[in-house]
Amino acid sequence: MGLHRHALRTTAVGAVSAALITGGTLGLTPTAQAATGGVRFVDITGDGGTVLKGNVVTPADSDGTRTYPLIVLPTSWGLPQVEYLAQAQKLADSGYVVVGYNVRGFWQSGGEIEVAGPPDVADTSKVIDWALANTPADARRIGVAGVSYGAGISLLAAEHDKRIKAVAALSGWADLIDSIYSGRTEHTQATALLGGVGALTGRPSAELRQTLEGFFSSDLSKEQEMIAWGRRRSPETYVDQLDKNGPAVFMANAWGDTIFPPNQYARFYEELTGPKRLEFRPGDHATPELAGLFGVPNDVWKDTGRWFDHYLRGEDNGIDREQPVQLKSRSAGGYEGYPDWKSVGATTRKIALAGTTTIHTNIDSGADGGIIFLSSVLDQLARVPPMAAIPLLPRRWAAVWQSERYASAQQVRGTARLHTTLTPTKESGTLVAYLYDVGPLGLGKLVSNAPYTFHGQTPGKPFGVDLDLYSTAYDVPAGHRLALVVDTVDPLYIEHNPSGAQLTFSSPANDPSYVSIPLREQ
């Protein structure tokens, strides 16, 4: 299945990325410390007596006669406790007590990496307890926020601690399994990166090591155990409790997030019944808010501050009257507002996937989703997504369907959906679907993609496939086409195609195959 080849490649990617991330953040330390003269480094007793290394920044006018709203900041995966100091100082200057802490299992904090398990959730409540006892924090005005790992822990904490009144979850997850195992396919580069960073900067628990071993070995006997492990760590599992507690929830993510793709965040957002806001921008995991960690003005952190100012300080800044879903297209510069996620792709257009096409497996056709971080960052900064020469893709290993040329620009917004009939020659297999914007010369720019794996099918017997591609916002220029490409190998994912397997796609008269394209209402 190419597993060992992929594992070696993704481990190398993970190690390099870990070094870049860790080095970049540690580079923040001298500047941040110089700029935060009021910072106090503290030890906080977490769940079960585990010592958490933290820091406190209080408003300059704090004199013991008044209290301030509290914001708690759990760190990201693998990053040290100085991660948020630049933003903590800004928040303190605005009138907040801010307590950042290194999550258990990483750096100088005690314990082992629990991957947002119950001890991590309990730790956040313990940090709140400590802040209320040791700082001028107001017990009636408590917020939590974080990036990536800190975002997931913040959402879980708000579901389990009714004292939390506002949340800002930046580049986080709502469904951990749908993030790293969507389409029943292991996201190998993303998970290798997380595992590599965890081993480099922390102490993985035995449970985490066993879960990763089962994940990379594609052990189906461990699948349900892994899914249950992920469900316990997913805010989606406890969404009813979050709705009951009713905190104001702000969520932001990137279209190209290769660790926590946007679909699961959008679905979770729709289930929330309290005050809420959802923002999507170009970029990859945590890249839209990265500059803000260095104190550089940043839209994500600006809106985070506005969110807390309104819901913790009662400031009438208008954020509650704006359209709650804010999107920034990968192709255009401005923001678009929508009343809800359902309105994003209000109009759909189908591309028929006619005829019968058979492809062979185990060979990368040249269509792929790119390289974790690098590809989406290039798209964010230079609008250069992964590309493929569509006419040159070998039809032995890639199925290709194209739309007509569009007379006017098509503003793709939301989630494209593939529906087809598949007949395999083996009981297991993997396919990857790609949506491309194809120019007049046949060069395709990647709009979206998603993997799909099946097991236990009867060889030679057709079955239906329904697959949601990753949500996006992309403008297809006039004169271009959209193309759907399907192949079986992508370096982002583990594939499950036995040697010599073939996949046949058909479009029965009573159940036509198509890809549904969501479009912005004109």
Side-chain angles (χ1 to χ4, degrees), residues 36 62 87-88 92 99 126 212 214 218 264 343 345 362 365 386 475:
T36 53
S62 175
Q87 287 300 323
V99 180
K126 291 289 187 180
L212 289 176
S218 302
Q264 42 92 36
S343 302
N362 306 115
S365 70
D475 297 348

Side-chain angles (χ1 to χ4, degrees), residues 195-215:
V197 172
L200 236 139
T201 61
R203 298 168 297 283
S205 66
E207 183 182 29
L208 173 57
R209 292 195 299 271
Q210 292 167 5
T211 300
L212 289 176
E213 182 180 346
F215 182 92

Side-chain angles (χ1 to χ4, degrees), residues 101-116:
Y101 72 96
N102 231 128
V103 292
R104 65 171 52 223
F106 286 101
W107 296 90
Q108 290 84 16
S109 284
E112 296 180 326
I113 301 172
E114 301 287 347
V115 195

Side-chain angles (χ1 to χ4, degrees), residues 331 349 405-413 437 474-482 517-522:
S331 311
R349 174 177 291 181
R405 280 196 178 91
Y406 296 116
S408 59
Q410 305 294 297
Q411 295 181 311
V412 179
R413 300 289 186 273
D437 160 25
Y474 183 97
D475 297 348
V476 179
H480 286 213
R481 306 174 187 264
L482 281 171
I517 308 299
L519 299 173
R520 183 183 183 189
E521 191 169 5
Q522 299 297 308

Side-chain angles (χ1 to χ4, degrees), residues 86-404:
Q87 287 300 323
Q89 186 62 57
K90 288 187 176 184
L91 289 165
D93 290 344
S94 298
Y96 295 92
V97 170
V98 186
V99 180
Y101 72 96
N102 231 128
V103 292
R104 65 171 52 223
F106 286 101
W107 296 90
Q108 290 84 16
S109 284
E112 296 180 326
I113 301 172
E114 301 287 347
V115 195
D120 290 301
V121 179
D123 282 345
T124 305
S125 292
K126 291 289 187 180
V127 172
I128 292 172
D129 293 342
W130 182 92
L132 294 177
N134 294 277
T135 73
D138 186 341
R140 301 164 301 171
R141 297 182 291 167
I142 298 172
V144 291
V147 175
S148 185
Y149 193 43
I153 290 175
S154 293
L155 285 172
L156 287 162
E159 291 171 331
H160 290 82
D161 193 326
K162 293 188 288 188
R163 297 175 297 179
I164 296 171
K165 304 303 180 186
V167 182
L170 315 179
S171 292
W173 76 91
D175 186 332
L176 189 57
I177 292 300
D178 197 42
S179 296
I180 63 172
Y181 193 58
S182 70
R184 211 178 176 187
T185 309
E186 296 89 345
H187 295 208
T188 183
Q189 282 192 13
T191 310
L193 172 62
L194 293 174
V197 172
L200 236 139
T201 61
R203 298 168 297 283
S205 66
E207 183 182 29
L208 173 57
R209 292 195 299 271
Q210 292 167 5
T211 300
L212 289 176
E213 182 180 346
F215 182 92
F216 285 114
S217 66
S218 302
D219 187 348
L220 281 179
S221 70
K222 301 288 187 182
E223 182 183 38
Q224 291 308 311
E225 184 179 324
M226 180 191 71
I227 290 173
W229 173 87
R231 294 282 177 255
R232 289 193 296 272
R233 291 159 169 80
S234 296
E236 173 81 27
T237 302
Y238 315 100
V239 66
D240 290 345
Q241 189 60 44
L242 187 63
D243 285 338
K244 181 179 178 182
N245 291 347
V249 179
F250 170 68
M251 302 163 61
N253 205 349
W255 292 121
D257 195 319
T258 43
I259 296 180
F260 303 131
N263 300 43
Q264 42 92 36
Y265 239 26
R267 185 178 65 245
F268 180 74
Y269 171 84
E270 285 292 271
E271 297 182 62
L272 300 179
T273 58
K276 58 184 180 177
R277 183 179 176 95
L278 177 68
E279 298 183 354
F280 283 126
R281 296 173 175 83
D284 205 313
H285 182 65
T287 62
E289 56 266 24
L290 179 62
L293 295 177
F294 294 86
V296 176
N298 177 273
D299 286 354
V300 185
W301 284 104
K302 181 183 73 174
D303 285 349
T304 296
R306 294 174 63 221
W307 192 254
F308 285 136
D309 285 346
H310 180 74
Y311 287 102
L312 295 183
R313 297 175 59 208
E315 184 177 307
D316 184 14
N317 56 18
I319 197 167
D320 57 319
R321 296 187 295 274
E322 296 172 0
Q323 295 275 41
V325 175
Q326 293 287 323
L327 311 181
K328 191 173 186 180
S329 169
R330 292 162 50 199
S331 311
Y335 287 91
E336 303 165 4
Y338 299 85
D340 49 40
W341 177 252
K342 292 178 295 186
S343 302
V344 171
T347 302
T348 59
R349 174 177 291 181
K350 290 182 178 180
I351 300 172
L353 310 180
T356 299
T357 303
T358 298
I359 61 173
H360 296 251
T361 64
N362 306 115
I363 299 293
D364 190 339
S365 70
D368 64 54
I371 299 173
I372 187 172
F373 283 120
L374 177 61
S375 297
S376 292
V377 170
L378 282 174
D379 188 33
Q380 175 185 359
L381 299 178
R383 296 180 184 170
V384 181
M387 297 184 189
I390 304 303
L392 300 182
L393 291 175
R395 289 342 191 230
R396 180 179 175 84
W397 296 296
V400 180
W401 297 268
Q402 295 192 75
S403 72
E404 76 284 358

Side-chain angles (χ1 to χ4, degrees), residues 18-59:
L20 290 173
I21 294 170
T22 305
T25 305
L26 287 176
L28 168 67
T29 307
T31 302
Q33 286 182 330
T36 53
V39 67
R40 180 163 56 102
F41 292 91
V42 297
D43 288 349
I44 301 172
T45 302
D47 185 57
T50 298
V51 175
L52 307 173
K53 296 295 183 176
N55 52 73
V56 183
V57 187
T58 54

